[in-house]
PDB file of all heavy atoms in Angstrom:
ATOM      1  N   VAL A   1     215.508 150.032 -12.881  1.00 97.00           N
ATOM      2  CA  VAL A   1     215.836 149.005 -11.889  1.00 97.00           C
ATOM      3  C   VAL A   1     214.994 147.751 -12.087  1.00 97.00           C
ATOM      4  O   VAL A   1     213.791 147.832 -12.337  1.00 97.00           O
ATOM      5  CB  VAL A   1     215.621 149.537 -10.451  1.00 97.00           C
ATOM      6  CG1 VAL A   1     215.904 148.441  -9.421  1.00 97.00           C
ATOM      7  CG2 VAL A   1     216.499 150.755 -10.193  1.00 97.00           C
ATOM      8  N   VAL A   2     215.660 146.598 -11.976  1.00 97.00           N
ATOM      9  CA  VAL A   2     214.982 145.307 -11.849  1.00 97.00           C
ATOM     10  C   VAL A   2     215.482 144.708 -10.536  1.00 97.00           C
ATOM     11  O   VAL A   2     216.686 144.684 -10.278  1.00 97.00           O
ATOM     12  CB  VAL A   2     215.317 144.366 -13.023  1.00 97.00           C
ATOM     13  CG1 VAL A   2     214.751 142.965 -12.774  1.00 97.00           C
ATOM     14  CG2 VAL A   2     214.785 144.937 -14.331  1.00 97.00           C
ATOM     15  N   ALA A   3     214.574 144.233  -9.680  1.00 97.00           N
ATOM     16  CA  ALA A   3     214.946 143.681  -8.384  1.00 97.00           C
ATOM     17  C   ALA A   3     214.418 142.253  -8.247  1.00 97.00           C
ATOM     18  O   ALA A   3     213.230 142.005  -8.501  1.00 97.00           O
ATOM     19  CB  ALA A   3     214.412 144.557  -7.255  1.00 97.00           C
ATOM     20  N   VAL A   4     215.294 141.326  -7.846  1.00 97.00           N
ATOM     21  CA  VAL A   4     214.932 139.910  -7.729  1.00 97.00           C
ATOM     22  C   VAL A   4     215.495 139.335  -6.431  1.00 97.00           C
ATOM     23  O   VAL A   4     216.437 139.887  -5.855  1.00 97.00           O
ATOM     24  CB  VAL A   4     215.457 139.099  -8.939  1.00 97.00           C
ATOM     25  CG1 VAL A   4     214.849 139.604 -10.233  1.00 97.00           C
ATOM     26  CG2 VAL A   4     216.979 139.160  -9.004  1.00 97.00           C
ATOM     27  N   PRO A   5     214.927 138.182  -5.939  1.00 96.00           N
ATOM     28  CA  PRO A   5     215.322 137.668  -4.629  1.00 96.00           C
ATOM     29  C   PRO A   5     216.397 136.576  -4.615  1.00 96.00           C
ATOM     30  O   PRO A   5     216.979 136.322  -3.561  1.00 96.00           O
ATOM     31  CB  PRO A   5     214.000 137.111  -4.090  1.00 96.00           C
ATOM     32  CG  PRO A   5     213.272 136.655  -5.312  1.00 96.00           C
ATOM     33  CD  PRO A   5     213.655 137.607  -6.411  1.00 96.00           C
ATOM     34  N   THR A   6     216.648 135.900  -5.718  1.00 96.00           N
ATOM     35  CA  THR A   6     217.565 134.748  -5.693  1.00 96.00           C
ATOM     36  C   THR A   6     218.440 134.702  -6.943  1.00 96.00           C
ATOM     37  O   THR A   6     218.204 135.421  -7.918  1.00 96.00           O
ATOM     38  CB  THR A   6     216.781 133.425  -5.624  1.00 96.00           C
ATOM     39  OG1 THR A   6     216.073 133.243  -6.870  1.00 96.00           O
ATOM     40  CG2 THR A   6     215.795 133.402  -4.458  1.00 96.00           C
ATOM     41  N   GLY A   7     219.435 133.802  -6.885  1.00 95.00           N
ATOM     42  CA  GLY A   7     220.301 133.609  -8.037  1.00 95.00           C
ATOM     43  C   GLY A   7     219.554 133.106  -9.252  1.00 95.00           C
ATOM     44  O   GLY A   7     219.864 133.483 -10.387  1.00 95.00           O
ATOM     45  N   ARG A   8     218.569 132.243  -9.029  1.00 95.00           N
ATOM     46  CA  ARG A   8     217.777 131.730 -10.152  1.00 95.00           C
ATOM     47  C   ARG A   8     217.042 132.872 -10.856  1.00 95.00           C
ATOM     48  O   ARG A   8     217.029 132.950 -12.091  1.00 95.00           O
ATOM     49  CB  ARG A   8     216.777 130.687  -9.645  1.00 95.00           C
ATOM     50  CG  ARG A   8     215.857 130.127 -10.720  1.00 95.00           C
ATOM     51  CD  ARG A   8     215.030 128.972 -10.169  1.00 95.00           C
ATOM     52  NE  ARG A   8     214.191 129.410  -9.061  1.00 95.00           N
ATOM     53  CZ  ARG A   8     212.984 129.974  -9.204  1.00 95.00           C
ATOM     54  NH1 ARG A   8     212.503 130.192 -10.426  1.00 95.00           N
ATOM     55  NH2 ARG A   8     212.260 130.311  -8.151  1.00 95.00           N
ATOM     56  N   HIS A   9     216.463 133.759 -10.065  1.00 96.00           N
ATOM     57  CA  HIS A   9     215.777 134.910 -10.651  1.00 96.00           C
ATOM     58  C   HIS A   9     216.770 135.876 -11.309  1.00 96.00           C
ATOM     59  O   HIS A   9     216.448 136.524 -12.297  1.00 96.00           O
ATOM     60  CB  HIS A   9     214.981 135.647  -9.564  1.00 96.00           C
ATOM     61  CG  HIS A   9     213.805 134.883  -9.043  1.00 96.00           C
ATOM     62  ND1 HIS A   9     213.883 134.049  -7.951  1.00 96.00           N
ATOM     63  CD2 HIS A   9     212.518 134.818  -9.478  1.00 96.00           C
ATOM     64  CE1 HIS A   9     212.693 133.515  -7.725  1.00 96.00           C
ATOM     65  NE2 HIS A   9     211.850 133.959  -8.640  1.00 96.00           N
ATOM     66  N   MET A  10     217.978 135.963 -10.744  1.00 96.00           N
ATOM     67  CA  MET A  10     218.996 136.819 -11.341  1.00 96.00           C
ATOM     68  C   MET A  10     219.325 136.362 -12.755  1.00 96.00           C
ATOM     69  O   MET A  10     219.398 137.185 -13.679  1.00 96.00           O
ATOM     70  CB  MET A  10     220.264 136.790 -10.485  1.00 96.00           C
ATOM     71  CG  MET A  10     221.410 137.633 -11.039  1.00 96.00           C
ATOM     72  SD  MET A  10     223.025 137.252 -10.274  1.00 96.00           S
ATOM     73  CE  MET A  10     223.438 135.730 -11.187  1.00 96.00           C
ATOM     74  N   ARG A  11     219.519 135.060 -12.929  1.00 95.00           N
ATOM     75  CA  ARG A  11     219.860 134.537 -14.249  1.00 95.00           C
ATOM     76  C   ARG A  11     218.741 134.800 -15.253  1.00 95.00           C
ATOM     77  O   ARG A  11     218.985 135.135 -16.414  1.00 95.00           O
ATOM     78  CB  ARG A  11     220.180 133.045 -14.157  1.00 95.00           C
ATOM     79  CG  ARG A  11     221.458 132.747 -13.390  1.00 95.00           C
ATOM     80  CD  ARG A  11     221.862 131.277 -13.512  1.00 95.00           C
ATOM     81  NE  ARG A  11     223.135 131.040 -12.859  1.00 95.00           N
ATOM     82  CZ  ARG A  11     223.275 130.705 -11.586  1.00 95.00           C
ATOM     83  NH1 ARG A  11     222.181 130.553 -10.829  1.00 95.00           N
ATOM     84  NH2 ARG A  11     224.462 130.506 -11.057  1.00 95.00           N
ATOM     85  N   ALA A  12     217.519 134.640 -14.795  1.00 96.00           N
ATOM     86  CA  ALA A  12     216.382 134.901 -15.676  1.00 96.00           C
ATOM     87  C   ALA A  12     216.332 136.374 -16.066  1.00 96.00           C
ATOM     88  O   ALA A  12     216.097 136.717 -17.232  1.00 96.00           O
ATOM     89  CB  ALA A  12     215.078 134.484 -14.992  1.00 96.00           C
ATOM     90  N   ALA A  13     216.579 137.254 -15.101  1.00 96.00           N
ATOM     91  CA  ALA A  13     216.553 138.692 -15.396  1.00 96.00           C
ATOM     92  C   ALA A  13     217.663 139.089 -16.349  1.00 96.00           C
ATOM     93  O   ALA A  13     217.476 139.937 -17.230  1.00 96.00           O
ATOM     94  CB  ALA A  13     216.672 139.480 -14.086  1.00 96.00           C
ATOM     95  N   LEU A  14     218.837 138.483 -16.195  1.00 95.00           N
ATOM     96  CA  LEU A  14     219.953 138.793 -17.091  1.00 95.00           C
ATOM     97  C   LEU A  14     219.606 138.459 -18.537  1.00 95.00           C
ATOM     98  O   LEU A  14     219.960 139.208 -19.458  1.00 95.00           O
ATOM     99  CB  LEU A  14     221.206 138.012 -16.664  1.00 95.00           C
ATOM    100  CG  LEU A  14     221.916 138.511 -15.404  1.00 95.00           C
ATOM    101  CD1 LEU A  14     222.938 137.492 -14.929  1.00 95.00           C
ATOM    102  CD2 LEU A  14     222.578 139.862 -15.647  1.00 95.00           C
ATOM    103  N   GLU A  15     218.908 137.366 -18.726  1.00 94.00           N
ATOM    104  CA  GLU A  15     218.548 136.945 -20.080  1.00 94.00           C
ATOM    105  C   GLU A  15     217.343 137.706 -20.631  1.00 94.00           C
ATOM    106  O   GLU A  15     217.291 138.019 -21.818  1.00 94.00           O
ATOM    107  CB  GLU A  15     218.258 135.436 -20.090  1.00 94.00           C
ATOM    108  CG  GLU A  15     219.452 134.568 -19.751  1.00 94.00           C
ATOM    109  CD  GLU A  15     220.606 134.765 -20.712  1.00 94.00           C
ATOM    110  OE1 GLU A  15     220.373 134.921 -21.929  1.00 94.00           O
ATOM    111  OE2 GLU A  15     221.768 134.787 -20.252  1.00 94.00           O
ATOM    112  N   GLU A  16     216.391 138.012 -19.759  1.00 94.00           N
ATOM    113  CA  GLU A  16     215.128 138.592 -20.221  1.00 94.00           C
ATOM    114  C   GLU A  16     215.090 140.116 -20.182  1.00 94.00           C
ATOM    115  O   GLU A  16     214.418 140.747 -21.006  1.00 94.00           O
ATOM    116  CB  GLU A  16     213.972 138.041 -19.371  1.00 94.00           C
ATOM    117  CG  GLU A  16     213.790 136.521 -19.488  1.00 94.00           C
ATOM    118  CD  GLU A  16     212.829 135.972 -18.455  1.00 94.00           C
ATOM    119  OE1 GLU A  16     212.197 136.793 -17.744  1.00 94.00           O
ATOM    120  OE2 GLU A  16     212.723 134.735 -18.327  1.00 94.00           O
ATOM    121  N   SER A  17     215.807 140.724 -19.229  1.00 91.00           N
ATOM    122  CA  SER A  17     215.686 142.170 -19.024  1.00 91.00           C
ATOM    123  C   SER A  17     216.980 142.936 -19.242  1.00 91.00           C
ATOM    124  O   SER A  17     216.994 144.157 -19.128  1.00 91.00           O
ATOM    125  CB  SER A  17     215.178 142.455 -17.596  1.00 91.00           C
ATOM    126  OG  SER A  17     213.981 141.768 -17.331  1.00 91.00           O
ATOM    127  N   GLY A  18     218.076 142.232 -19.512  1.00 82.00           N
ATOM    128  CA  GLY A  18     219.377 142.886 -19.679  1.00 82.00           C
ATOM    129  C   GLY A  18     219.478 143.584 -21.021  1.00 82.00           C
ATOM    130  O   GLY A  18     218.524 143.602 -21.801  1.00 82.00           O
ATOM    131  N   PRO A  19     220.637 144.211 -21.311  1.00 90.00           N
ATOM    132  CA  PRO A  19     221.826 144.212 -20.451  1.00 90.00           C
ATOM    133  C   PRO A  19     221.698 145.195 -19.301  1.00 90.00           C
ATOM    134  O   PRO A  19     220.901 146.125 -19.348  1.00 90.00           O
ATOM    135  CB  PRO A  19     222.936 144.640 -21.420  1.00 90.00           C
ATOM    136  CG  PRO A  19     222.231 145.505 -22.419  1.00 90.00           C
ATOM    137  CD  PRO A  19     220.866 144.900 -22.598  1.00 90.00           C
ATOM    138  N   PHE A  20     222.527 144.952 -18.261  1.00 95.00           N
ATOM    139  CA  PHE A  20     222.543 145.822 -17.096  1.00 95.00           C
ATOM    140  C   PHE A  20     223.889 146.533 -17.015  1.00 95.00           C
ATOM    141  O   PHE A  20     224.915 146.001 -17.422  1.00 95.00           O
ATOM    142  CB  PHE A  20     222.304 145.009 -15.817  1.00 95.00           C
ATOM    143  CG  PHE A  20     220.909 144.458 -15.723  1.00 95.00           C
ATOM    144  CD1 PHE A  20     220.628 143.170 -16.166  1.00 95.00           C
ATOM    145  CD2 PHE A  20     219.878 145.219 -15.201  1.00 95.00           C
ATOM    146  CE1 PHE A  20     219.342 142.652 -16.091  1.00 95.00           C
ATOM    147  CE2 PHE A  20     218.586 144.717 -15.116  1.00 95.00           C
ATOM    148  CZ  PHE A  20     218.313 143.433 -15.567  1.00 95.00           C
ATOM    149  N   ASP A  21     223.857 147.730 -16.446  1.00 93.00           N
ATOM    150  CA  ASP A  21     225.079 148.512 -16.289  1.00 93.00           C
ATOM    151  C   ASP A  21     225.793 148.183 -14.986  1.00 93.00           C
ATOM    152  O   ASP A  21     226.989 148.440 -14.852  1.00 93.00           O
ATOM    153  CB  ASP A  21     224.761 150.002 -16.340  1.00 93.00           C
ATOM    154  CG  ASP A  21     224.230 150.415 -17.700  1.00 93.00           C
ATOM    155  OD1 ASP A  21     225.020 150.449 -18.654  1.00 93.00           O
ATOM    156  OD2 ASP A  21     223.016 150.673 -17.808  1.00 93.00           O
ATOM    157  N   LEU A  22     225.060 147.610 -14.026  1.00 95.00           N
ATOM    158  CA  LEU A  22     225.658 147.217 -12.752  1.00 95.00           C
ATOM    159  C   LEU A  22     224.720 146.255 -12.038  1.00 95.00           C
ATOM    160  O   LEU A  22     223.499 146.355 -12.168  1.00 95.00           O
ATOM    161  CB  LEU A  22     225.927 148.443 -11.874  1.00 95.00           C
ATOM    162  CG  LEU A  22     226.579 148.193 -10.516  1.00 95.00           C
ATOM    163  CD1 LEU A  22     227.660 149.258 -10.216  1.00 95.00           C
ATOM    164  CD2 LEU A  22     225.527 148.225  -9.390  1.00 95.00           C
ATOM    165  N   ILE A  23     225.313 145.335 -11.266  1.00 96.00           N
ATOM    166  CA  ILE A  23     224.537 144.386 -10.464  1.00 96.00           C
ATOM    167  C   ILE A  23     224.831 144.647  -8.992  1.00 96.00           C
ATOM    168  O   ILE A  23     225.995 144.658  -8.574  1.00 96.00           O
ATOM    169  CB  ILE A  23     224.886 142.928 -10.815  1.00 96.00           C
ATOM    170  CG1 ILE A  23     224.572 142.644 -12.284  1.00 96.00           C
ATOM    171  CG2 ILE A  23     224.122 141.956  -9.907  1.00 96.00           C
ATOM    172  CD1 ILE A  23     225.067 141.295 -12.770  1.00 96.00           C
ATOM    173  N   ILE A  24     223.773 144.880  -8.201  1.00 96.00           N
ATOM    174  CA  ILE A  24     223.884 144.958  -6.742  1.00 96.00           C
ATOM    175  C   ILE A  24     223.569 143.566  -6.210  1.00 96.00           C
ATOM    176  O   ILE A  24     222.462 143.064  -6.397  1.00 96.00           O
ATOM    177  CB  ILE A  24     222.910 145.997  -6.170  1.00 96.00           C
ATOM    178  CG1 ILE A  24     223.242 147.396  -6.713  1.00 96.00           C
ATOM    179  CG2 ILE A  24     222.957 145.990  -4.641  1.00 96.00           C
ATOM    180  CD1 ILE A  24     222.204 148.455  -6.350  1.00 96.00           C
ATOM    181  N   LEU A  25     224.551 142.924  -5.578  1.00 95.00           N
ATOM    182  CA  LEU A  25     224.434 141.505  -5.242  1.00 95.00           C
ATOM    183  C   LEU A  25     224.628 141.289  -3.744  1.00 95.00           C
ATOM    184  O   LEU A  25     225.688 141.625  -3.185  1.00 95.00           O
ATOM    185  CB  LEU A  25     225.494 140.723  -6.031  1.00 95.00           C
ATOM    186  CG  LEU A  25     225.555 139.209  -5.859  1.00 95.00           C
ATOM    187  CD1 LEU A  25     224.246 138.554  -6.272  1.00 95.00           C
ATOM    188  CD2 LEU A  25     226.717 138.640  -6.678  1.00 95.00           C
ATOM    189  N   ASP A  26     223.613 140.733  -3.077  1.00 93.00           N
ATOM    190  CA  ASP A  26     223.715 140.456  -1.651  1.00 93.00           C
ATOM    191  C   ASP A  26     224.573 139.220  -1.422  1.00 93.00           C
ATOM    192  O   ASP A  26     224.486 138.235  -2.167  1.00 93.00           O
ATOM    193  CB  ASP A  26     222.309 140.238  -1.073  1.00 93.00           C
ATOM    194  CG  ASP A  26     222.324 140.100   0.439  1.00 93.00           C
ATOM    195  OD1 ASP A  26     223.210 140.691   1.083  1.00 93.00           O
ATOM    196  OD2 ASP A  26     221.458 139.396   0.983  1.00 93.00           O
ATOM    197  N   LEU A  27     225.424 139.260  -0.397  1.00 89.00           N
ATOM    198  CA  LEU A  27     226.290 138.117  -0.102  1.00 89.00           C
ATOM    199  C   LEU A  27     225.497 136.928   0.424  1.00 89.00           C
ATOM    200  O   LEU A  27     225.694 135.794   0.003  1.00 89.00           O
ATOM    201  CB  LEU A  27     227.350 138.537   0.926  1.00 89.00           C
ATOM    202  CG  LEU A  27     228.304 137.445   1.402  1.00 89.00           C
ATOM    203  CD1 LEU A  27     229.185 136.968   0.268  1.00 89.00           C
ATOM    204  CD2 LEU A  27     229.151 137.942   2.560  1.00 89.00           C
ATOM    205  N   MET A  28     224.564 137.197   1.351  1.00 88.00           N
ATOM    206  CA  MET A  28     223.816 136.116   1.999  1.00 88.00           C
ATOM    207  C   MET A  28     222.481 135.916   1.300  1.00 88.00           C
ATOM    208  O   MET A  28     221.521 136.648   1.546  1.00 88.00           O
ATOM    209  CB  MET A  28     223.603 136.449   3.475  1.00 88.00           C
ATOM    210  CG  MET A  28     224.896 136.699   4.245  1.00 88.00           C
ATOM    211  SD  MET A  28     225.986 135.255   4.251  1.00 88.00           S
ATOM    212  CE  MET A  28     225.063 134.155   5.327  1.00 88.00           C
ATOM    213  N   LEU A  29     222.420 134.927   0.435  1.00 92.00           N
ATOM    214  CA  LEU A  29     221.205 134.611  -0.304  1.00 92.00           C
ATOM    215  C   LEU A  29     220.820 133.157  -0.062  1.00 92.00           C
ATOM    216  O   LEU A  29     221.686 132.312   0.176  1.00 92.00           O
ATOM    217  CB  LEU A  29     221.428 134.818  -1.813  1.00 92.00           C
ATOM    218  CG  LEU A  29     221.609 136.250  -2.315  1.00 92.00           C
ATOM    219  CD1 LEU A  29     222.069 136.240  -3.767  1.00 92.00           C
ATOM    220  CD2 LEU A  29     220.305 137.026  -2.180  1.00 92.00           C
ATOM    221  N   PRO A  30     219.538 132.830  -0.134  1.00 90.00           N
ATOM    222  CA  PRO A  30     219.134 131.423  -0.029  1.00 90.00           C
ATOM    223  C   PRO A  30     219.599 130.649  -1.263  1.00 90.00           C
ATOM    224  O   PRO A  30     219.632 131.183  -2.371  1.00 90.00           O
ATOM    225  CB  PRO A  30     217.601 131.511   0.027  1.00 90.00           C
ATOM    226  CG  PRO A  30     217.269 132.800  -0.654  1.00 90.00           C
ATOM    227  CD  PRO A  30     218.395 133.733  -0.325  1.00 90.00           C
ATOM    228  N   GLY A  31     219.997 129.408  -1.065  1.00 90.00           N
ATOM    229  CA  GLY A  31     220.511 128.625  -2.197  1.00 90.00           C
ATOM    230  C   GLY A  31     221.929 129.044  -2.511  1.00 90.00           C
ATOM    231  O   GLY A  31     222.806 129.007  -1.642  1.00 90.00           O
ATOM    232  N   GLU A  32     222.175 129.481  -3.728  1.00 90.00           N
ATOM    233  CA  GLU A  32     223.505 129.952  -4.107  1.00 90.00           C
ATOM    234  C   GLU A  32     223.781 131.307  -3.452  1.00 90.00           C
ATOM    235  O   GLU A  32     222.984 132.233  -3.599  1.00 90.00           O
ATOM    236  CB  GLU A  32     223.600 130.106  -5.623  1.00 90.00           C
ATOM    237  CG  GLU A  32     223.453 128.806  -6.399  1.00 90.00           C
ATOM    238  CD  GLU A  32     223.462 129.042  -7.897  1.00 90.00           C
ATOM    239  OE1 GLU A  32     222.444 129.559  -8.402  1.00 90.00           O
ATOM    240  OE2 GLU A  32     224.475 128.735  -8.543  1.00 90.00           O
ATOM    241  N   ASP A  33     224.896 131.416  -2.753  1.00 89.00           N
ATOM    242  CA  ASP A  33     225.182 132.685  -2.094  1.00 89.00           C
ATOM    243  C   ASP A  33     225.826 133.669  -3.065  1.00 89.00           C
ATOM    244  O   ASP A  33     226.136 133.342  -4.215  1.00 89.00           O
ATOM    245  CB  ASP A  33     226.053 132.483  -0.854  1.00 89.00           C
ATOM    246  CG  ASP A  33     227.432 131.921  -1.183  1.00 89.00           C
ATOM    247  OD1 ASP A  33     227.876 132.024  -2.343  1.00 89.00           O
ATOM    248  OD2 ASP A  33     228.074 131.388  -0.263  1.00 89.00           O
TER     249      ASP A  33
END
């Protein structure tokens, strides 16, 4: 598991820690929802 708080961190994790088999994505996020 990799856990991050925002879309910006998500993009960084996708590039640095991927590939991922599934993304758990919260609807209500600060900035980009």
